[in-house]
Structures are given as structure tokens and as C-alpha cells.
Amino acid sequence: MKKLSIIILSLFSYYSAKAQTINPRAFTLRGTVDTRARDTIDIQYVNEAGETIKDSIISDKATFIVKGNIAEPSTIWLNIRGKDRSYKKSGSLFIEPKEMKIAINKDNVNLSALSGSITQDEFSKLNRDEEAVTNEIASSTGKYNNETDNAKRFIRKDKIRALEFSFISTHPDSYLSPFLMKKYAGYQYRDSLESQYKKLTARMQNSIIGKQLHTYLQHPAFKPQTPSVGHLAPDFTETGINNEQVSLSSYRGKHYVLLDFWASWCGPCLAMLPKVKELYAKYHSKGLEVIGINMDYTPEKWKKAVAKESITQWKNIFPTKIEFSNEYPLISEYGVTTIPALFLIDKNGKLVDIVVDEQGLNTTLNNHLAEAFK
């Protein structure tokens, strides 16, 4: 019995010591590549020390191994060059500190078969869902052409964003979530980004990108932020399309006001205009006013768009721009970083609702107006 105990203890000590030598940040990427052409595959990633590591593989070798250390799941960039060193294809995939296998797809690097990375599995699934959205839009509206490309792109962009925001909210412990949040950081309201950040697990908040997001949220240069619902909406006075003065405060005590930030190049904005017209026709006599705030590139484009879309029944303004800059104070005050964006303001000048998509227009905004004018 004593001898058996010694053997068990020895085995325990051996495996404990072996476990201690395993580097939890080490990765091994074992790959295969098509050898029909003698291409060079450049590899680039950021190691655990934050250093950019670069390496190359000659594709006439059917198999290869890449080893290194990374702090957490992160992207590895692959670039394929021909014999003459000319660029051919590039793409990126998510690797993790573990054993992985990859079969490089030289026609589409992003479709390379990578196994062993949970983050890449999630990203591949998301990409398939996004591809389905693209195919759905193409099949329902016909192939892209010059006349309708922009509208279709904006519809697709809006649906892709909805898919990725849904992923963030349902995967708070995925490394892909802060990666997607960083992608949209400069294109959404601060309170929206902060709300997403707070829902992440502590592990994700303390990830490399999670810490970057936290720093970004605290930075004083990150000015855009929506006014809070329940607080007074920022007042403004701008020149209307007929050179009249349009002041938000002039409606206080008398009307509900719907601010509609839009542009003629914004497909979702144009898609929502018929519903805005419908709400205006239904509630204007009861006290609803609409102010269209245009974000086209020039006043000339704005005036043509107002006439084309037949929205002269309500006030239309083109925000004042700070001279020698690209800053529009009104847009900054309302934290508008993406459109469409609609703000419903009550008779007391307080913000009641913020709507950024057609679903919100049909539900919360419609419900607020129905309740206000019942």
C-alpha cells in the first residue's frame, strides 16, 4: 500500500510540474495550403507583449506551423503575394492561445477553414448570417445597379448593424463582442456604447479591446452623446428653407415636436419618410410639428431633396456649419453620429423618445404620439 501511495504521489508531482510548464498564452497554428502556385503568404499578428510579429510562408510547402504567444483571442492577418510579389488576396481570422488547424483558401482568405478557435467559429456564423441578408436584399430587389446601389447598401448596412448589435447583446462573454463594439464606436451615441459596455462580462471589460473601449468612453474628445430622455432638449435657432427663423423654444407650451435628422443619400431615412408623413397628417391638427434637419453635403442638394421628397408641409433646416471646419453644432448637441435619427419632444420641451430605425418608428414613437393626443 505504501509503495502504491508513493507511485501515485510521484505521478501527481510529475503531472503538476508538467502543467506548470504549459504556457497559457502559447498558440500553435498548423496549416495546409494549395501548392499549385508558388505564392508567398505573409502572416501578421500582435503578440502578448503588444509587439507586431511578421512572418512569411512559401506556399510550395504543403504544410506549415506558426507558433507564438498571444494575450487572448485576437486577429491574425494573412496576405497572399504572387511570384512577382504582387498583391493577390488578403484577409484576417481569429486565433486563440491554443492548438489550431487551418487550410488556407487562396481565393478568399476569410473563408479559410480554421478549427480550434471558438471566436472564429462565432465570427464565421455571423458572416454566414450577414451573407444571407445580402442575398435576401439582392433577391427581393433585383441585382445591384447604378441607380439603386446606394439605397440597397444603406438597407444592407442597417440590417448588418442590427445583426451585429444583436450578437453583442446576446454574447456578453465573447471576445467578438468588444471587437464589434470597437468597429461601431465612432458611429453611435455615447450612452448606447456605454450601455453595451456595461453589459459585457468583467472578463470582456478587462480584455485588451475592452480596456480600449473604456478609455474611449472616458476621453473628453468623445463629445457626441444623446440628450437624456426626460431632460430638456437642446434649444436651437436655425434658418429654414424659406429664410425664416426656426427656433425649437418657440414651440414650447404649444406643440409636440419631432426632429428628423435625414439626408437624401440615406436609404433608411427615405424609407421612413412615408411613415413620418403619415404621423404628421394624423397628428398635426392635434399639435404635432415636424422639423426636418438635413445632413446632405450642400444646401443645394438639401433643397432639391426637400422638393423631390415632397416634404414642404413642415419646417426644414440645413444646420449652420462652423466656418473653416466640418463641425455642425446642432448635430453635435444632439449626438447624431448615424442617421436616421428622430427625437420626439413634448410641449414642455422635454425629450420623450429617440428613434433610430423603422421598428422604433412603428412602435414606441407611434405609441407615444397616440398616448399624447388621445
Side-chain angles (χ1 to χ4, degrees):
M1 233 6 193
K2 186 174 182 182
K3 184 181 287 188
L4 181 60
S5 298
I6 292 172
I7 292 172
I8 292 173
L9 182 60
S10 298
L11 287 172
F12 177 78
S13 300
Y14 168 76
Y15 284 110
S16 295
K18 186 176 178 63
Q20 289 175 7
T21 63
I22 296 175
N23 183 353
R25 299 190 170 193
F27 77 86
T28 300
L29 184 62
R30 302 180 187 277
T32 58
V33 62
D34 183 354
T35 59
R36 286 176 297 178
R38 194 175 187 277
D39 295 327
T40 298
I41 303 173
D42 299 318
I43 295 175
Q44 182 174 309
Y45 65 93
V46 177
N47 70 5
E48 61 178 342
E51 302 165 330
T52 299
I53 304 299
K54 297 180 180 180
D55 201 352
S56 294
I57 301 163
I58 304 299
S59 68
D60 60 358
K61 298 176 182 177
T63 61
F64 63 89
I65 298 177
V66 179
K67 292 187 176 185
N69 297 321
I70 53 177
E72 59 191 34
S74 56
T75 53
I76 187 168
W77 181 75
L78 305 173
N79 177 53
I80 299 176
R81 291 182 285 117
K83 290 181 183 178
D84 59 355
R85 302 186 64 79
S86 62
Y87 161 84
K88 293 179 78 173
K89 297 286 182 179
S90 66
S92 61
L93 301 148
F94 284 93
I95 58 173
E96 300 186 359
K98 57 174 64 171
E99 287 265 352
M100 295 164 291
K101 293 182 180 179
I102 185 172
I104 293 181
N105 184 329
K106 290 167 69 174
D107 294 322
N108 188 336
V109 177
N110 291 322
L111 295 181
S112 298
L114 175 65
S115 61
S117 170
I118 295 173
T119 310
Q120 180 60 35
D121 290 344
E122 293 173 336
F123 194 47
S124 296
K125 169 65 167 59
L126 184 61
N127 283 335
R128 288 194 295 272
D129 292 343
E130 293 177 357
E131 185 179 1
V133 166
T134 301
N135 292 337
E136 180 187 354
I137 293 171
S139 63
S140 63
T141 58
K143 292 184 178 180
Y144 290 96
N145 59 60
N146 292 334
E147 289 185 15
T148 59
D149 266 3
N150 282 341
K152 290 179 184 178
R153 285 193 186 101
F154 277 105
I155 293 170
R156 178 185 179 277
K157 182 180 177 181
D158 193 53
K159 291 194 173 187
I160 294 298
R161 181 178 62 183
L163 267 178
E164 295 183 347
F165 275 28
S166 175
F167 181 94
I168 292 169
S169 66
T170 55
H171 296 76
D173 197 46
S174 168
Y175 281 93
L176 185 56
S177 291
F179 174 85
L180 294 172
M181 288 170 61
K182 184 177 180 181
K183 170 183 172 182
Y184 289 103
Y187 300 93
Q188 63 172 311
Y189 304 119
R190 187 207 298 236
D191 52 350
S192 173
L193 180 62
E194 190 168 32
S195 175
Q196 289 177 337
Y197 175 80
K198 287 180 178 178
K199 292 176 183 177
L200 293 176
T201 62
R203 188 167 74 110
M204 290 304 106
Q205 290 182 1
N206 288 313
S207 67
I208 293 172
I209 298 181
K211 289 178 179 177
Q212 291 173 352
L213 289 169
H214 182 264
T215 300
Y216 183 70
L217 282 165
Q218 304 306 312
H219 199 284
F222 186 21
K223 296 176 184 177
Q225 182 175 12
T226 65
S228 299
V229 169
H231 290 76
L232 284 176
D235 190 20
F236 60 83
T237 299
E238 297 279 353
T239 302
I241 200 165
N242 298 314
N243 293 319
E244 77 279 23
Q245 293 296 290
V246 180
S247 297
L248 180 62
S249 57
S250 67
Y251 296 97
R252 193 168 296 174
K254 297 177 286 185
H255 303 278
Y256 270 71
V257 179
L258 180 63
L259 304 182
D260 182 6
F261 289 82
W262 71 289
S264 64
W265 46 259
C266 169
C269 299
L270 301 182
M272 287 167 62
L273 270 179
K275 183 63 178 179
V276 176
K277 289 180 182 179
E278 183 182 320
L279 293 175
Y280 181 82
K282 184 175 183 179
Y283 294 114
H284 174 62
S285 61
K286 298 181 179 181
L288 175 67
E289 296 290 347
V290 173
I291 301 176
I293 302 171
N294 184 269
M295 294 175 64
D296 271 294
Y297 302 114
T298 66
E300 291 72 28
K301 288 183 179 293
W302 159 54
K303 291 176 181 178
K304 286 181 181 179
V306 168
K308 182 180 179 181
E309 301 304 327
S310 301
I311 51 174
T312 55
Q313 63 270 46
W314 58 65
K315 299 295 183 182
N316 287 281
I317 62 177
F318 189 80
T320 302
K321 181 179 178 181
I322 297 177
E323 195 172 4
F324 306 120
S325 79
N326 290 315
E327 292 292 323
Y328 293 85
L330 176 56
I331 293 172
S332 294
E333 285 178 1
Y334 277 85
V336 176
T337 56
T338 182
I339 53 176
L342 295 95
F343 297 79
L344 180 63
I345 301 160
D346 69 12
K347 291 182 179 180
N348 298 316
K350 290 184 178 180
L351 186 60
V352 176
D353 195 10
I354 301 171
V355 171
V356 295
D357 54 33
E358 193 168 358
Q359 181 180 357
L361 186 65
N362 292 328
T363 55
T364 62
L365 180 59
N366 193 44
N367 292 340
H368 277 130
L369 289 172
E371 179 66 21
F373 296 116
K374 65 180 179 180

